[in-house]
Each structure stands twice: as C-alpha cells, then as structure tokens.
Amino acid sequence: MRLTPKLLVFLFISLFQLSSFGQKTIFNDESSKDPEIGVVEHLDEYLPDGIYITGIDSQRVLLSDLIDKPTILNFVYYRCPGICSPLMEGLAEVMDRSDLKPNEDYQVLTISFDPTETLDLAQRKKTNYLNLVNKKESIAKGWHFYISDSASIAKATNAVGFKYKRVGNDFTHAASVMVISPDGKITRYLNGIYFLPFEFKMAVIEANKGQSGPTINKILQFCYSYDPEGQTYVLNVTKVAGSIILFFALFIFLYLVFKPKRKKV
C-alpha cells in the first residue's frame, strides 16, 4: 500500500487521538486546575502569616519567623507507609551530595500534615534519616522536623497547593517539595522522590535571589504518573509510546510531503 500524504495525515490524527485517549483513561487527568490529590503550583505567591508549627524542642513558632534563608518545605506524615520514606531518603541523599551547606546556604523544614502525630515520632524520624547521611552534623543543624495543628496545616498546604486526602487512618498524596525565598515567596517546586544535585543547587541559589523558575522535571512528570492507590510513581507507557509513534509518524509525513520529486528520464 502506498503511503500518500492524505493517508499519513489520517494516520497522524488517529494516532494522536489514540494517545490522548490512553492518557485520560489509564491515569488521572493532570490538566485539572484544582485536583483532589496532587500539587497545584503557586509560583511567585507568598506564604501567609499565622502558620504555627511546633519543633522537637517543643517550641511553638510562626513559620514566617523561621524563614530567613532559602528554605525547602517538605510536607509528609511520619507514619506514612508509602512515598514519604523514599521522598525523605531522596532529600537526605541530595543534601549529602550537594556542596551547599545546610543551615548556612539553606534549610529544610519537614512538617507533618497529620495533626495527630507527636514530637516523639518526629524526633525518631529525624534520627532515622540522619543515619543515612555522611554529613550528619551539618545536616542535623539544617534539617528540622515539625508537627502542627489542623488549622495551620490547612493554611500552609493550601498556600503551596499541596492537595491530599485522608483514606482511613492514612492519607493519599503526591511527592513534592517547595522552595521558598528568604522573604517567603514560593520560587520553585521539586516533584518526585529523586532530586538532581544540580537542580537542587540552582533552586536554592535562585530562591536566595528571589527568582522563581519553572519545574525542570516536567519531562519526568510527563513520563511518570502518580498512582494514588499504590502510592508510587509509575511509568506512563501509553503516553511515552504514543509520543514516540507520533514523532516518527510526523517525521515520515514531512519527509514524503517535502522530499524532492525525481525527474523523469
């Protein structure tokens, strides 16, 4: 069968529709402006006042009073059986590998969004993750663990666009950290459970200047989708395969349309 330009156009449109259909039926529609579970980026917005958190030292403080340098906000719940642990392991790893100095160049504030959790649990979690790093002393000074009350938790998570849902005694949520400038502006989101040292460093440097930037790992988000039931990120085979097929179909179409015609002898 001869591949004419009209036939290729038909194939191209059909493949596009098939790829789009697969994206919508197999995974949650990520185009929603206000998903029930996930992250809605609020770049260039400022954290509101009145968010209280309590540290391991039992001191209840305002979140805004703690942010005096580039700050990584990390919302988890300490009992989480799913992605919270690999997320914080990823944070521990990138902090250990980075040439930036915790507590001097930046700080990390991990806050439980479960108001029933205790400081004792927060302390145990901090000890566990410090055991994974080599720069234990410096990271201990720059990585702080907190609990909070339900009103402050709601105010903080709404401000950064962190959407989660209680399911029984646990929660369904995505994995993401937010980078905050010294004056409280949201400048970057780092999504997923693995962080590139270069991206981490650039996010901190730009936050120190008050510069917001796009989420570099949008490509990774395109290839991977969050599965709320399994509480993990899975390869979106339909989306990736469909994109590859579309690319080659478009390439063949353009080649056949614009290739020079052979002169008849």
Side-chain angles (χ1 to χ4, degrees):
M1 181 178 65
R2 185 182 177 185
L3 292 176
T4 63
K6 290 183 178 180
L7 178 59
L8 283 171
V9 171
F10 173 77
L11 290 174
F12 181 78
I13 294 173
S14 299
L15 288 170
F16 179 79
Q17 291 174 338
L18 177 62
S19 175
S20 299
F21 176 78
Q23 293 173 29
K24 293 179 181 178
T25 56
I26 296 179
F27 298 97
N28 291 335
D29 184 3
E30 297 175 2
S31 64
S32 174
K33 294 183 179 180
D34 191 17
E36 186 179 18
I37 301 167
V39 177
V40 179
E41 297 190 358
H42 292 177
L43 289 174
D44 291 321
E45 295 185 17
Y46 288 83
L47 295 178
D49 294 328
I51 298 173
Y52 287 92
I53 55 179
T54 303
I56 292 174
D57 58 1
S58 298
Q59 296 298 312
R60 187 169 184 261
V61 295
L62 280 168
L63 176 61
S64 56
D65 288 345
L66 297 177
I67 300 178
D68 57 356
K69 59 176 65 69
T71 299
I72 311 295
L73 279 186
N74 170 217
F75 291 98
V76 299
Y77 71 106
Y78 300 129
R79 300 178 295 100
C80 180
I83 59 175
C84 289
S85 292
L87 168 61
M88 289 193 282
E89 288 170 6
L91 265 179
E93 180 182 358
V94 76
M95 292 170 71
D96 211 24
R97 294 173 59 188
S98 176
D99 57 0
L100 297 176
K101 297 179 179 179
N103 198 46
E104 294 183 21
D105 299 319
Y106 70 96
Q107 64 181 343
V108 178
L109 307 182
T110 294
I111 304 172
S112 171
F113 57 81
D114 182 353
T116 68
E117 293 193 322
T118 64
L119 291 176
D120 179 63
L121 183 55
Q123 176 65 72
R124 293 204 306 269
K125 286 296 180 179
K126 179 172 183 176
T127 300
N128 290 343
Y129 293 110
L130 288 179
N131 288 333
L132 301 178
V133 301
N134 296 314
K135 304 175 184 176
K136 186 173 299 187
E137 184 176 348
S138 62
I139 292 178
K141 294 179 180 178
W143 193 359
H144 310 285
F145 287 63
Y146 295 91
I147 61 172
S148 188
D149 60 89
S150 57
S152 289
I153 290 170
K155 196 170 188 178
T157 54
N158 287 335
V160 299
F162 184 77
K163 307 291 184 177
Y164 59 96
K165 181 181 180 180
R166 179 181 284 277
V167 180
N169 293 325
D170 293 309
F171 297 87
T172 301
H173 62 95
S176 181
V177 301
M178 302 82 195
V179 188
I180 313 298
S181 70
D183 62 349
K185 183 170 72 172
I186 304 169
T187 60
R188 184 75 71 91
Y189 287 78
L190 303 178
N191 300 322
I193 59 177
Y194 177 77
F195 308 100
L196 298 174
F198 174 76
E199 183 183 11
F200 183 84
K201 182 175 182 178
M202 289 304 300
V204 171
I205 292 174
E206 291 173 356
N208 193 46
K209 298 177 182 178
Q211 299 175 347
S212 61
T215 304
I216 295 176
N217 57 8
K218 286 290 186 183
I219 296 177
L220 292 179
Q221 291 180 13
F222 178 82
C223 296
Y224 289 85
S225 295
Y226 180 66
D227 176 16
E229 294 184 2
Q231 297 194 29
T232 186
Y233 283 84
V234 295
L235 180 64
N236 195 329
V237 178
T238 303
K239 190 182 292 186
V240 175
S243 299
I244 294 173
I245 292 172
L246 285 173
F247 172 78
F248 282 106
L250 180 60
F251 176 80
I252 295 172
F253 169 71
L254 293 176
Y255 172 76
L256 293 177
V257 169
F258 295 106
K259 74 175 183 176
K261 297 181 178 179
R262 293 181 180 179
K263 295 182 179 179
K264 295 182 179 180
V265 180

